[in-house]
Amino acid sequence: AAALIQHPTAGSMDAPAAAALTYDLTTPPKGCSWAPDGTCLLTAGDDARLRVLELPAPMVAEPPAAPENPVWRPTFEVKACECVYDYAWYPRLHSSQPSTCVFAACARAAPPALYDAYDGRRRASYVLRDALDEPVPCLALSFSPGGATLRVAAQKRSRLAAFDVATSQVVSDTAVAQRGPLACLACIDEHVFVAGGYSGQIRVYDDRENDPGVALKDSNKMGGVTRLRVSNDAVYASHRGEDVVRGFDLRTRRVASRCTRAGHAHQRFDFDVVG
């Protein structure tokens, strides 16, 4: 199988055209995420492997140019224990600072972990435990904008926790009243974050407050939440079995915009917001 991925050449917005790169796949990707500095791409497939792909050198040169060889191959692969649930780049990543070049991922039957984006080496693990001191798998994760905190949603009990990225220590751990399981997270700032679940509920939480969170609502019934993104004063959400991406205004807690795309299926169709 092969996927066609387009990336605008770095530099001027007046570049003549996007460069089309053919990515040879053994298994179709279940989504992709550009690194914050735009130099590489992170994907995960049904074979439980995370793959990092670097842009060809001509595309990041000055001035940028389309590569002679359009075939894009992974720089390396990381084998997770089982199915990969979620992954995210460290928000302050920059390729000129190797210590920042990491990403986090959570998978079935394994705790969330932090991986080196150069060689796939595991740098840290973030283990959440239950009452029997057994590790708890997590369905979703999200870095705070500053990168100091990694928030995770446990597979059971609508449990939300936060880890200190540097020390791997739990800094908060609570069970919320939101019906779960909680399938996705998005951080607004260092303390405020959004959680969405299979029930279709979306709530905004502040870890400095002991309250049930603020619900984001629509006049129409919403299906299970598959992805959350944050931009400025808005939260964008996609839902299982729906063609629409809703944009919620955080000030009114109501839908302010709707974007239509082909996604009426039970699969998790990803999207991203720029700006």
Side-chain angles (χ1 to χ4, degrees), residues 160 176-178 186 188 191-197 200-207 209-218 222 228 235 248-254:
L160 297 170
V176 295
Q178 184 174 347
I188 298 172
H191 298 283
V192 182
F193 61 98
V194 190
Q201 285 188 338
I202 303 173
R203 286 186 174 273
V204 182
Y205 297 95
D206 187 332
D207 63 10
E209 305 290 339
N210 185 20
D211 59 40
V214 176
L216 303 181
K217 297 180 179 181
D218 188 9
M222 299 184 295
L228 292 169
V235 172
F248 295 89
D249 189 317
L250 287 172
R251 294 163 295 188
T252 64
R253 295 174 284 173
R254 298 290 179 179

PDB file of all heavy atoms in Angstrom, residues 160 176-178 186 188 191-197 200-207 209-218 222 228 235 248-254:
ATOM      1  N   LEU A 160      -8.673  10.551  35.348  1.00  0.00           N
ATOM      2  CA  LEU A 160      -7.744  11.479  34.717  1.00  0.00           C
ATOM      3  C   LEU A 160      -6.556  11.697  35.636  1.00  0.00           C
ATOM      4  O   LEU A 160      -6.712  11.897  36.842  1.00  0.00           O
ATOM      5  CB  LEU A 160      -8.429  12.817  34.440  1.00  0.00           C
ATOM      6  CG  LEU A 160      -9.604  12.784  33.457  1.00  0.00           C
ATOM      7  CD1 LEU A 160     -10.331  14.122  33.473  1.00  0.00           C
ATOM      8  CD2 LEU A 160      -9.120  12.466  32.054  1.00  0.00           C
ATOM      9  N   VAL A 176     -13.489  11.359  37.565  1.00  0.00           N
ATOM     10  CA  VAL A 176     -14.485  12.395  37.291  1.00  0.00           C
ATOM     11  C   VAL A 176     -15.838  11.762  37.007  1.00  0.00           C
ATOM     12  O   VAL A 176     -15.949  10.565  36.720  1.00  0.00           O
ATOM     13  CB  VAL A 176     -14.043  13.268  36.096  1.00  0.00           C
ATOM     14  CG1 VAL A 176     -12.784  14.043  36.450  1.00  0.00           C
ATOM     15  CG2 VAL A 176     -13.837  12.437  34.848  1.00  0.00           C
ATOM     16  N   ALA A 177     -16.890  12.584  37.090  1.00  0.00           N
ATOM     17  CA  ALA A 177     -18.257  12.087  36.906  1.00  0.00           C
ATOM     18  C   ALA A 177     -18.621  11.917  35.441  1.00  0.00           C
ATOM     19  O   ALA A 177     -19.680  11.374  35.126  1.00  0.00           O
ATOM     20  CB  ALA A 177     -19.237  13.042  37.580  1.00  0.00           C
ATOM     21  N   GLN A 178     -17.773  12.365  34.546  1.00  0.00           N
ATOM     22  CA  GLN A 178     -18.055  12.270  33.114  1.00  0.00           C
ATOM     23  C   GLN A 178     -18.154  10.804  32.680  1.00  0.00           C
ATOM     24  O   GLN A 178     -17.305   9.978  33.025  1.00  0.00           O
ATOM     25  CB  GLN A 178     -16.947  12.968  32.335  1.00  0.00           C
ATOM     26  CG  GLN A 178     -17.176  13.019  30.831  1.00  0.00           C
ATOM     27  CD  GLN A 178     -16.102  13.868  30.147  1.00  0.00           C
ATOM     28  OE1 GLN A 178     -15.366  14.585  30.809  1.00  0.00           O
ATOM     29  NE2 GLN A 178     -16.031  13.792  28.838  1.00  0.00           N
ATOM     30  N   ALA A 186      -7.216  17.217  25.348  1.00  0.00           N
ATOM     31  CA  ALA A 186      -6.526  18.356  24.745  1.00  0.00           C
ATOM     32  C   ALA A 186      -6.289  19.386  25.827  1.00  0.00           C
ATOM     33  O   ALA A 186      -7.208  19.711  26.589  1.00  0.00           O
ATOM     34  CB  ALA A 186      -7.339  18.961  23.598  1.00  0.00           C
ATOM     35  N   ILE A 188      -5.533  23.145  27.185  1.00  0.00           N
ATOM     36  CA  ILE A 188      -5.693  24.552  26.827  1.00  0.00           C
ATOM     37  C   ILE A 188      -4.539  25.376  27.390  1.00  0.00           C
ATOM     38  O   ILE A 188      -3.972  26.212  26.700  1.00  0.00           O
ATOM     39  CB  ILE A 188      -7.039  25.075  27.336  1.00  0.00           C
ATOM     40  CG1 ILE A 188      -8.183  24.301  26.659  1.00  0.00           C
ATOM     41  CG2 ILE A 188      -7.179  26.569  27.090  1.00  0.00           C
ATOM     42  CD1 ILE A 188      -9.553  24.606  27.216  1.00  0.00           C
ATOM     43  N   HIS A 191      -3.082  24.314  33.308  1.00  0.00           N
ATOM     44  CA  HIS A 191      -4.023  23.804  34.297  1.00  0.00           C
ATOM     45  C   HIS A 191      -5.378  23.408  33.720  1.00  0.00           C
ATOM     46  O   HIS A 191      -6.071  22.572  34.295  1.00  0.00           O
ATOM     47  CB  HIS A 191      -4.244  24.854  35.399  1.00  0.00           C
ATOM     48  CG  HIS A 191      -3.021  25.197  36.170  1.00  0.00           C
ATOM     49  ND1 HIS A 191      -2.504  24.370  37.142  1.00  0.00           N
ATOM     50  CD2 HIS A 191      -2.193  26.281  36.094  1.00  0.00           C
ATOM     51  CE1 HIS A 191      -1.405  24.929  37.653  1.00  0.00           C
ATOM     52  NE2 HIS A 191      -1.205  26.077  37.033  1.00  0.00           N
ATOM     53  N   VAL A 192      -5.763  24.001  32.617  1.00  0.00           N
ATOM     54  CA  VAL A 192      -7.086  23.767  32.032  1.00  0.00           C
ATOM     55  C   VAL A 192      -6.973  22.832  30.839  1.00  0.00           C
ATOM     56  O   VAL A 192      -6.099  23.005  29.988  1.00  0.00           O
ATOM     57  CB  VAL A 192      -7.739  25.096  31.600  1.00  0.00           C
ATOM     58  CG1 VAL A 192      -9.137  24.853  31.041  1.00  0.00           C
ATOM     59  CG2 VAL A 192      -7.794  26.067  32.777  1.00  0.00           C
ATOM     60  N   PHE A 193      -7.868  21.841  30.787  1.00  0.00           N
ATOM     61  CA  PHE A 193      -7.827  20.860  29.706  1.00  0.00           C
ATOM     62  C   PHE A 193      -9.237  20.371  29.394  1.00  0.00           C
ATOM     63  O   PHE A 193     -10.180  20.599  30.163  1.00  0.00           O
ATOM     64  CB  PHE A 193      -6.920  19.681  30.071  1.00  0.00           C
ATOM     65  CG  PHE A 193      -7.350  18.911  31.281  1.00  0.00           C
ATOM     66  CD1 PHE A 193      -8.071  17.728  31.159  1.00  0.00           C
ATOM     67  CD2 PHE A 193      -7.044  19.359  32.561  1.00  0.00           C
ATOM     68  CE1 PHE A 193      -8.480  17.013  32.270  1.00  0.00           C
ATOM     69  CE2 PHE A 193      -7.446  18.653  33.683  1.00  0.00           C
ATOM     70  CZ  PHE A 193      -8.167  17.474  33.537  1.00  0.00           C
ATOM     71  N   VAL A 194      -9.375  19.691  28.265  1.00  0.00           N
ATOM     72  CA  VAL A 194     -10.664  19.205  27.792  1.00  0.00           C
ATOM     73  C   VAL A 194     -10.600  17.689  27.658  1.00  0.00           C
ATOM     74  O   VAL A 194      -9.594  17.139  27.212  1.00  0.00           O
ATOM     75  CB  VAL A 194     -11.034  19.824  26.429  1.00  0.00           C
ATOM     76  CG1 VAL A 194     -12.479  19.512  26.070  1.00  0.00           C
ATOM     77  CG2 VAL A 194     -10.800  21.315  26.427  1.00  0.00           C
ATOM     78  N   ALA A 195     -11.698  17.014  28.031  1.00  0.00           N
ATOM     79  CA  ALA A 195     -11.787  15.557  27.900  1.00  0.00           C
ATOM     80  C   ALA A 195     -13.065  15.195  27.151  1.00  0.00           C
ATOM     81  O   ALA A 195     -14.132  15.772  27.404  1.00  0.00           O
ATOM     82  CB  ALA A 195     -11.779  14.888  29.279  1.00  0.00           C
ATOM     83  N   GLY A 196     -12.964  14.251  26.234  1.00  0.00           N
ATOM     84  CA  GLY A 196     -14.114  13.760  25.484  1.00  0.00           C
ATOM     85  C   GLY A 196     -14.212  12.254  25.604  1.00  0.00           C
ATOM     86  O   GLY A 196     -13.187  11.560  25.691  1.00  0.00           O
ATOM     87  N   GLY A 197     -15.447  11.725  25.623  1.00  0.00           N
ATOM     88  CA  GLY A 197     -15.623  10.298  25.851  1.00  0.00           C
ATOM     89  C   GLY A 197     -16.504   9.610  24.837  1.00  0.00           C
ATOM     90  O   GLY A 197     -17.099  10.239  23.961  1.00  0.00           O
ATOM     91  N   GLY A 200     -20.103  10.782  24.170  1.00  0.00           N
ATOM     92  CA  GLY A 200     -20.369  12.023  23.452  1.00  0.00           C
ATOM     93  C   GLY A 200     -20.212  13.267  24.303  1.00  0.00           C
ATOM     94  O   GLY A 200     -20.307  14.380  23.791  1.00  0.00           O
ATOM     95  N   GLN A 201     -19.981  13.109  25.586  1.00  0.00           N
ATOM     96  CA  GLN A 201     -19.805  14.259  26.472  1.00  0.00           C
ATOM     97  C   GLN A 201     -18.424  14.889  26.283  1.00  0.00           C
ATOM     98  O   GLN A 201     -17.427  14.185  26.104  1.00  0.00           O
ATOM     99  CB  GLN A 201     -19.955  13.853  27.930  1.00  0.00           C
ATOM    100  CG  GLN A 201     -21.381  13.591  28.373  1.00  0.00           C
ATOM    101  CD  GLN A 201     -21.471  13.374  29.869  1.00  0.00           C
ATOM    102  OE1 GLN A 201     -20.495  13.027  30.534  1.00  0.00           O
ATOM    103  NE2 GLN A 201     -22.639  13.595  30.426  1.00  0.00           N
ATOM    104  N   ILE A 202     -18.389  16.216  26.348  1.00  0.00           N
ATOM    105  CA  ILE A 202     -17.132  16.973  26.331  1.00  0.00           C
ATOM    106  C   ILE A 202     -17.155  17.913  27.524  1.00  0.00           C
ATOM    107  O   ILE A 202     -18.102  18.692  27.699  1.00  0.00           O
ATOM    108  CB  ILE A 202     -16.980  17.788  25.030  1.00  0.00           C
ATOM    109  CG1 ILE A 202     -17.057  16.875  23.808  1.00  0.00           C
ATOM    110  CG2 ILE A 202     -15.672  18.562  25.038  1.00  0.00           C
ATOM    111  CD1 ILE A 202     -17.074  17.635  22.492  1.00  0.00           C
ATOM    112  N   ARG A 203     -16.126  17.842  28.358  1.00  0.00           N
ATOM    113  CA  ARG A 203     -16.073  18.711  29.538  1.00  0.00           C
ATOM    114  C   ARG A 203     -14.706  19.372  29.657  1.00  0.00           C
ATOM    115  O   ARG A 203     -13.684  18.772  29.332  1.00  0.00           O
ATOM    116  CB  ARG A 203     -16.378  17.913  30.815  1.00  0.00           C
ATOM    117  CG  ARG A 203     -17.860  17.554  30.958  1.00  0.00           C
ATOM    118  CD  ARG A 203     -18.162  16.899  32.294  1.00  0.00           C
ATOM    119  NE  ARG A 203     -19.585  16.684  32.464  1.00  0.00           N
ATOM    120  CZ  ARG A 203     -20.433  17.579  32.970  1.00  0.00           C
ATOM    121  NH1 ARG A 203     -19.967  18.742  33.378  1.00  0.00           N
ATOM    122  NH2 ARG A 203     -21.714  17.304  33.078  1.00  0.00           N
ATOM    123  N   VAL A 204     -14.745  20.598  30.166  1.00  0.00           N
ATOM    124  CA  VAL A 204     -13.528  21.372  30.418  1.00  0.00           C
ATOM    125  C   VAL A 204     -13.232  21.333  31.908  1.00  0.00           C
ATOM    126  O   VAL A 204     -14.113  21.620  32.730  1.00  0.00           O
ATOM    127  CB  VAL A 204     -13.690  22.832  29.942  1.00  0.00           C
ATOM    128  CG1 VAL A 204     -12.401  23.615  30.177  1.00  0.00           C
ATOM    129  CG2 VAL A 204     -14.092  22.880  28.474  1.00  0.00           C
ATOM    130  N   TYR A 205     -11.991  20.988  32.266  1.00  0.00           N
ATOM    131  CA  TYR A 205     -11.591  20.861  33.667  1.00  0.00           C
ATOM    132  C   TYR A 205     -10.444  21.817  33.989  1.00  0.00           C
ATOM    133  O   TYR A 205      -9.639  22.164  33.121  1.00  0.00           O
ATOM    134  CB  TYR A 205     -11.132  19.423  33.966  1.00  0.00           C
ATOM    135  CG  TYR A 205     -12.204  18.382  33.796  1.00  0.00           C
ATOM    136  CD1 TYR A 205     -12.333  17.683  32.596  1.00  0.00           C
ATOM    137  CD2 TYR A 205     -13.091  18.077  34.832  1.00  0.00           C
ATOM    138  CE1 TYR A 205     -13.313  16.717  32.438  1.00  0.00           C
ATOM    139  CE2 TYR A 205     -14.070  17.120  34.679  1.00  0.00           C
ATOM    140  CZ  TYR A 205     -14.172  16.438  33.477  1.00  0.00           C
ATOM    141  OH  TYR A 205     -15.149  15.480  33.319  1.00  0.00           O
ATOM    142  N   ASP A 206     -10.399  22.214  35.251  1.00  0.00           N
ATOM    143  CA  ASP A 206      -9.299  23.005  35.795  1.00  0.00           C
ATOM    144  C   ASP A 206      -8.782  22.254  37.011  1.00  0.00           C
ATOM    145  O   ASP A 206      -9.527  22.047  37.980  1.00  0.00           O
ATOM    146  CB  ASP A 206      -9.798  24.404  36.185  1.00  0.00           C
ATOM    147  CG  ASP A 206      -8.664  25.340  36.600  1.00  0.00           C
ATOM    148  OD1 ASP A 206      -7.633  24.855  37.097  1.00  0.00           O
ATOM    149  OD2 ASP A 206      -8.818  26.567  36.428  1.00  0.00           O
ATOM    150  N   ASP A 207      -7.520  21.824  36.959  1.00  0.00           N
ATOM    151  CA  ASP A 207      -7.008  20.995  38.059  1.00  0.00           C
ATOM    152  C   ASP A 207      -6.812  21.785  39.359  1.00  0.00           C
ATOM    153  O   ASP A 207      -6.479  21.202  40.400  1.00  0.00           O
ATOM    154  CB  ASP A 207      -5.719  20.287  37.653  1.00  0.00           C
ATOM    155  CG  ASP A 207      -4.581  21.241  37.334  1.00  0.00           C
ATOM    156  OD1 ASP A 207      -4.696  22.449  37.598  1.00  0.00           O
ATOM    157  OD2 ASP A 207      -3.556  20.770  36.796  1.00  0.00           O
ATOM    158  N   GLU A 209      -9.363  23.458  40.590  1.00  0.00           N
ATOM    159  CA  GLU A 209     -10.707  23.505  41.155  1.00  0.00           C
ATOM    160  C   GLU A 209     -11.228  22.100  41.403  1.00  0.00           C
ATOM    161  O   GLU A 209     -10.958  21.178  40.624  1.00  0.00           O
ATOM    162  CB  GLU A 209     -11.667  24.228  40.188  1.00  0.00           C
ATOM    163  CG  GLU A 209     -11.222  25.622  39.783  1.00  0.00           C
ATOM    164  CD  GLU A 209     -11.321  26.608  40.926  1.00  0.00           C
ATOM    165  OE1 GLU A 209     -12.083  26.335  41.877  1.00  0.00           O
ATOM    166  OE2 GLU A 209     -10.640  27.651  40.873  1.00  0.00           O
ATOM    167  N   ASN A 210     -11.968  21.927  42.464  1.00  0.00           N
ATOM    168  CA  ASN A 210     -12.578  20.632  42.770  1.00  0.00           C
ATOM    169  C   ASN A 210     -14.045  20.680  42.352  1.00  0.00           C
ATOM    170  O   ASN A 210     -14.948  20.831  43.176  1.00  0.00           O
ATOM    171  CB  ASN A 210     -12.442  20.323  44.261  1.00  0.00           C
ATOM    172  CG  ASN A 210     -12.959  18.947  44.611  1.00  0.00           C
ATOM    173  OD1 ASN A 210     -13.087  18.078  43.737  1.00  0.00           O
ATOM    174  ND2 ASN A 210     -13.272  18.733  45.878  1.00  0.00           N
ATOM    175  N   ASP A 211     -14.287  20.561  41.035  1.00  0.00           N
ATOM    176  CA  ASP A 211     -15.654  20.625  40.531  1.00  0.00           C
ATOM    177  C   ASP A 211     -15.816  19.624  39.392  1.00  0.00           C
ATOM    178  O   ASP A 211     -14.834  19.057  38.902  1.00  0.00           O
ATOM    179  CB  ASP A 211     -16.019  22.044  40.084  1.00  0.00           C
ATOM    180  CG  ASP A 211     -15.098  22.567  38.984  1.00  0.00           C
ATOM    181  OD1 ASP A 211     -14.743  21.791  38.088  1.00  0.00           O
ATOM    182  OD2 ASP A 211     -14.741  23.749  39.012  1.00  0.00           O
ATOM    183  N   PRO A 212     -17.046  19.372  38.946  1.00  0.00           N
ATOM    184  CA  PRO A 212     -17.290  18.350  37.923  1.00  0.00           C
ATOM    185  C   PRO A 212     -16.947  18.792  36.504  1.00  0.00           C
ATOM    186  O   PRO A 212     -17.200  18.052  35.555  1.00  0.00           O
ATOM    187  CB  PRO A 212     -18.790  18.067  38.066  1.00  0.00           C
ATOM    188  CG  PRO A 212     -19.365  19.329  38.604  1.00  0.00           C
ATOM    189  CD  PRO A 212     -18.316  19.902  39.500  1.00  0.00           C
ATOM    190  N   GLY A 213     -16.405  19.978  36.317  1.00  0.00           N
ATOM    191  CA  GLY A 213     -16.071  20.441  34.989  1.00  0.00           C
ATOM    192  C   GLY A 213     -17.240  21.141  34.315  1.00  0.00           C
ATOM    193  O   GLY A 213     -18.379  21.069  34.765  1.00  0.00           O
ATOM    194  N   VAL A 214     -16.945  21.813  33.225  1.00  0.00           N
ATOM    195  CA  VAL A 214     -17.943  22.572  32.469  1.00  0.00           C
ATOM    196  C   VAL A 214     -18.218  21.839  31.161  1.00  0.00           C
ATOM    197  O   VAL A 214     -17.296  21.515  30.409  1.00  0.00           O
ATOM    198  CB  VAL A 214     -17.446  24.004  32.190  1.00  0.00           C
ATOM    199  CG1 VAL A 214     -18.445  24.750  31.324  1.00  0.00           C
ATOM    200  CG2 VAL A 214     -17.200  24.740  33.500  1.00  0.00           C
ATOM    201  N   ALA A 215     -19.488  21.587  30.870  1.00  0.00           N
ATOM    202  CA  ALA A 215     -19.856  20.825  29.680  1.00  0.00           C
ATOM    203  C   ALA A 215     -19.956  21.743  28.465  1.00  0.00           C
ATOM    204  O   ALA A 215     -20.450  22.871  28.551  1.00  0.00           O
ATOM    205  CB  ALA A 215     -21.184  20.116  29.896  1.00  0.00           C
ATOM    206  N   LEU A 216     -19.481  21.243  27.322  1.00  0.00           N
ATOM    207  CA  LEU A 216     -19.675  21.895  26.031  1.00  0.00           C
ATOM    208  C   LEU A 216     -20.809  21.167  25.327  1.00  0.00           C
ATOM    209  O   LEU A 216     -20.759  19.950  25.167  1.00  0.00           O
ATOM    210  CB  LEU A 216     -18.390  21.832  25.203  1.00  0.00           C
ATOM    211  CG  LEU A 216     -17.140  22.442  25.839  1.00  0.00           C
ATOM    212  CD1 LEU A 216     -15.957  22.333  24.890  1.00  0.00           C
ATOM    213  CD2 LEU A 216     -17.377  23.903  26.231  1.00  0.00           C
ATOM    214  N   LYS A 217     -21.830  21.913  24.897  1.00  0.00           N
ATOM    215  CA  LYS A 217     -23.047  21.262  24.422  1.00  0.00           C
ATOM    216  C   LYS A 217     -23.436  21.735  23.023  1.00  0.00           C
ATOM    217  O   LYS A 217     -23.069  22.819  22.569  1.00  0.00           O
ATOM    218  CB  LYS A 217     -24.203  21.541  25.385  1.00  0.00           C
ATOM    219  CG  LYS A 217     -23.984  20.981  26.784  1.00  0.00           C
ATOM    220  CD  LYS A 217     -25.166  21.284  27.692  1.00  0.00           C
ATOM    221  CE  LYS A 217     -24.970  20.701  29.080  1.00  0.00           C
ATOM    222  NZ  LYS A 217     -26.120  20.973  29.975  1.00  0.00           N
ATOM    223  N   ASP A 218     -24.215  20.886  22.370  1.00  0.00           N
ATOM    224  CA  ASP A 218     -24.825  21.200  21.086  1.00  0.00           C
ATOM    225  C   ASP A 218     -26.309  20.877  21.186  1.00  0.00           C
ATOM    226  O   ASP A 218     -26.716  19.993  21.965  1.00  0.00           O
ATOM    227  CB  ASP A 218     -24.162  20.387  19.973  1.00  0.00           C
ATOM    228  CG  ASP A 218     -24.625  20.808  18.582  1.00  0.00           C
ATOM    229  OD1 ASP A 218     -25.331  21.834  18.476  1.00  0.00           O
ATOM    230  OD2 ASP A 218     -24.296  20.107  17.606  1.00  0.00           O
ATOM    231  N   MET A 222     -24.700  14.375  20.171  1.00  0.00           N
ATOM    232  CA  MET A 222     -23.353  14.145  19.660  1.00  0.00           C
ATOM    233  C   MET A 222     -22.949  12.694  19.886  1.00  0.00           C
ATOM    234  O   MET A 222     -23.212  12.119  20.941  1.00  0.00           O
ATOM    235  CB  MET A 222     -22.354  15.078  20.344  1.00  0.00           C
ATOM    236  CG  MET A 222     -22.642  16.555  20.117  1.00  0.00           C
ATOM    237  SD  MET A 222     -21.392  17.653  20.826  1.00  0.00           S
ATOM    238  CE  MET A 222     -21.584  17.325  22.591  1.00  0.00           C
ATOM    239  N   LEU A 228     -10.017  15.729  19.834  1.00  0.00           N
ATOM    240  CA  LEU A 228     -10.178  17.100  20.312  1.00  0.00           C
ATOM    241  C   LEU A 228      -8.945  17.902  19.932  1.00  0.00           C
ATOM    242  O   LEU A 228      -7.814  17.406  20.057  1.00  0.00           O
ATOM    243  CB  LEU A 228     -10.352  17.133  21.830  1.00  0.00           C
ATOM    244  CG  LEU A 228     -11.639  16.551  22.418  1.00  0.00           C
ATOM    245  CD1 LEU A 228     -11.506  16.432  23.931  1.00  0.00           C
ATOM    246  CD2 LEU A 228     -12.840  17.414  22.062  1.00  0.00           C
ATOM    247  N   VAL A 235     -12.555  25.057  21.038  1.00  0.00           N
ATOM    248  CA  VAL A 235     -12.249  23.621  21.079  1.00  0.00           C
ATOM    249  C   VAL A 235     -12.954  22.969  19.901  1.00  0.00           C
ATOM    250  O   VAL A 235     -14.157  23.171  19.698  1.00  0.00           O
ATOM    251  CB  VAL A 235     -12.740  22.986  22.404  1.00  0.00           C
ATOM    252  CG1 VAL A 235     -12.583  21.470  22.350  1.00  0.00           C
ATOM    253  CG2 VAL A 235     -11.968  23.549  23.582  1.00  0.00           C
ATOM    254  N   PHE A 248     -16.389  24.669  19.309  1.00  0.00           N
ATOM    255  CA  PHE A 248     -17.063  25.214  20.492  1.00  0.00           C
ATOM    256  C   PHE A 248     -16.355  26.478  20.966  1.00  0.00           C
ATOM    257  O   PHE A 248     -15.126  26.487  21.122  1.00  0.00           O
ATOM    258  CB  PHE A 248     -17.064  24.194  21.632  1.00  0.00           C
ATOM    259  CG  PHE A 248     -17.861  22.953  21.363  1.00  0.00           C
ATOM    260  CD1 PHE A 248     -17.277  21.855  20.752  1.00  0.00           C
ATOM    261  CD2 PHE A 248     -19.202  22.877  21.724  1.00  0.00           C
ATOM    262  CE1 PHE A 248     -18.007  20.703  20.510  1.00  0.00           C
ATOM    263  CE2 PHE A 248     -19.938  21.728  21.482  1.00  0.00           C
ATOM    264  CZ  PHE A 248     -19.337  20.640  20.871  1.00  0.00           C
ATOM    265  N   ASP A 249     -17.115  27.526  21.200  1.00  0.00           N
ATOM    266  CA  ASP A 249     -16.581  28.747  21.789  1.00  0.00           C
ATOM    267  C   ASP A 249     -16.489  28.537  23.306  1.00  0.00           C
ATOM    268  O   ASP A 249     -17.504  28.264  23.962  1.00  0.00           O
ATOM    269  CB  ASP A 249     -17.506  29.927  21.473  1.00  0.00           C
ATOM    270  CG  ASP A 249     -16.892  31.261  21.858  1.00  0.00           C
ATOM    271  OD1 ASP A 249     -16.294  31.359  22.943  1.00  0.00           O
ATOM    272  OD2 ASP A 249     -17.018  32.217  21.069  1.00  0.00           O
ATOM    273  N   LEU A 250     -15.295  28.668  23.851  1.00  0.00           N
ATOM    274  CA  LEU A 250     -15.112  28.423  25.281  1.00  0.00           C
ATOM    275  C   LEU A 250     -15.805  29.464  26.153  1.00  0.00           C
ATOM    276  O   LEU A 250     -16.067  29.220  27.326  1.00  0.00           O
ATOM    277  CB  LEU A 250     -13.620  28.379  25.605  1.00  0.00           C
ATOM    278  CG  LEU A 250     -12.866  27.133  25.130  1.00  0.00           C
ATOM    279  CD1 LEU A 250     -11.371  27.299  25.343  1.00  0.00           C
ATOM    280  CD2 LEU A 250     -13.376  25.893  25.850  1.00  0.00           C
ATOM    281  N   ARG A 251     -16.113  30.629  25.586  1.00  0.00           N
ATOM    282  CA  ARG A 251     -16.765  31.681  26.380  1.00  0.00           C
ATOM    283  C   ARG A 251     -18.257  31.410  26.539  1.00  0.00           C
ATOM    284  O   ARG A 251     -18.832  31.657  27.596  1.00  0.00           O
ATOM    285  CB  ARG A 251     -16.527  33.042  25.717  1.00  0.00           C
ATOM    286  CG  ARG A 251     -15.060  33.457  25.735  1.00  0.00           C
ATOM    287  CD  ARG A 251     -14.780  34.560  24.744  1.00  0.00           C
ATOM    288  NE  ARG A 251     -14.981  34.116  23.360  1.00  0.00           N
ATOM    289  CZ  ARG A 251     -14.655  34.827  22.290  1.00  0.00           C
ATOM    290  NH1 ARG A 251     -14.098  36.009  22.449  1.00  0.00           N
ATOM    291  NH2 ARG A 251     -14.882  34.359  21.074  1.00  0.00           N
ATOM    292  N   THR A 252     -18.880  30.893  25.483  1.00  0.00           N
ATOM    293  CA  THR A 252     -20.324  30.625  25.535  1.00  0.00           C
ATOM    294  C   THR A 252     -20.636  29.160  25.790  1.00  0.00           C
ATOM    295  O   THR A 252     -21.770  28.812  26.129  1.00  0.00           O
ATOM    296  CB  THR A 252     -20.990  31.052  24.223  1.00  0.00           C
ATOM    297  OG1 THR A 252     -20.472  30.237  23.155  1.00  0.00           O
ATOM    298  CG2 THR A 252     -20.709  32.507  23.927  1.00  0.00           C
ATOM    299  N   ARG A 253     -19.608  28.296  25.591  1.00  0.00           N
ATOM    300  CA  ARG A 253     -19.753  26.840  25.750  1.00  0.00           C
ATOM    301  C   ARG A 253     -20.735  26.237  24.739  1.00  0.00           C
ATOM    302  O   ARG A 253     -21.282  25.164  24.963  1.00  0.00           O
ATOM    303  CB  ARG A 253     -20.188  26.481  27.176  1.00  0.00           C
ATOM    304  CG  ARG A 253     -19.144  26.823  28.218  1.00  0.00           C
ATOM    305  CD  ARG A 253     -19.645  26.586  29.605  1.00  0.00           C
ATOM    306  NE  ARG A 253     -20.558  27.641  30.033  1.00  0.00           N
ATOM    307  CZ  ARG A 253     -21.245  27.629  31.158  1.00  0.00           C
ATOM    308  NH1 ARG A 253     -21.146  26.604  31.969  1.00  0.00           N
ATOM    309  NH2 ARG A 253     -22.052  28.619  31.475  1.00  0.00           N
ATOM    310  N   ARG A 254     -20.938  26.916  23.640  1.00  0.00           N
ATOM    311  CA  ARG A 254     -21.844  26.457  22.587  1.00  0.00           C
ATOM    312  C   ARG A 254     -21.098  26.319  21.268  1.00  0.00           C
ATOM    313  O   ARG A 254     -20.002  26.853  21.097  1.00  0.00           O
ATOM    314  CB  ARG A 254     -23.010  27.437  22.421  1.00  0.00           C
ATOM    315  CG  ARG A 254     -23.879  27.579  23.649  1.00  0.00           C
ATOM    316  CD  ARG A 254     -24.692  26.323  23.903  1.00  0.00           C
ATOM    317  NE  ARG A 254     -25.525  26.443  25.092  1.00  0.00           N
ATOM    318  CZ  ARG A 254     -26.340  25.472  25.515  1.00  0.00           C
ATOM    319  NH1 ARG A 254     -26.428  24.348  24.850  1.00  0.00           N
ATOM    320  NH2 ARG A 254     -27.053  25.640  26.605  1.00  0.00           N
TER     321      ARG A 254
END
